[in-house]
Structures are given as C-alpha cells and as structure tokens.
Amino acid sequence: NPSTAVSFELPAAGPVQLKVFDISGRLVRTLIAGDFRDAGIHHCTWKGRDDAGRTVAAGVYFYRLDAGIYSETRRMVLVK
C-alpha cells in the first residue's frame, strides 16, 4: 500500500492542523484537524487517500502544518 510519512517537531504543546494539497493547491486530505498535541516529535502517515477515501494518483503533494503561530509548507512524494 502506498503511503508517505510526515514527521514534525513541536516546541510547545497546542492545537495542530496538518493538511495535504495537490500540485494545483487543492485540499486533498486533512490528516490532523486542530487536535491538541504535546511538545516533541510526532509522526503521521498519509495512506494516499483523499478525504472521501478514494486513492489518489502517485506524484508530488504538499503538506501544510499549522501549530499556533508557526506555519510550514513542505513537499512530499507519494510513490506507488
């Protein structure tokens, strides 16, 4: 099964959002929707499905992490 791991570190505890977007900027999947997370290293796996549960195509995607005032966008590759 195709999947991509996303790892991130939080300097302080707080609510976190983690969303996956396609190359066109469309929202594909919300992995974490404002859940409270403790400070430290966290891992989340995206199994290559959209919010409706459909399998998405292999390719380049972006994830956006929002945690308090911190925001980061990074590129990832889903390989099948």
Side-chain angles (χ1 to χ4, degrees):
N1 293 331
S3 64
T4 300
V6 177
S7 299
F8 58 94
E9 184 173 1
L10 300 176
V16 173
Q17 287 189 32
L18 182 61
K19 297 181 178 186
V20 177
F21 298 89
D22 66 14
I23 197 81
S24 299
R26 292 180 295 233
L27 178 64
V28 174
R29 180 78 191 235
T30 301
L31 297 174
I32 303 173
D35 298 344
F36 186 88
R37 301 289 168 118
D38 292 328
I41 297 173
H42 300 272
H43 307 281
C44 186
T45 301
W46 177 44
K47 296 184 179 180
R49 298 193 176 270
D50 65 11
D51 277 334
R54 297 178 298 244
T55 303
V56 300
V60 177
Y61 291 86
F62 296 91
Y63 68 85
R64 179 177 175 92
L65 173 68
D66 292 305
I69 62 170
Y70 179 76
S71 179
E72 176 180 37
T73 302
R74 294 234 174 149
R75 183 175 59 116
M76 64 181 169
V77 178
L78 179 66
V79 179
K80 291 187 176 186

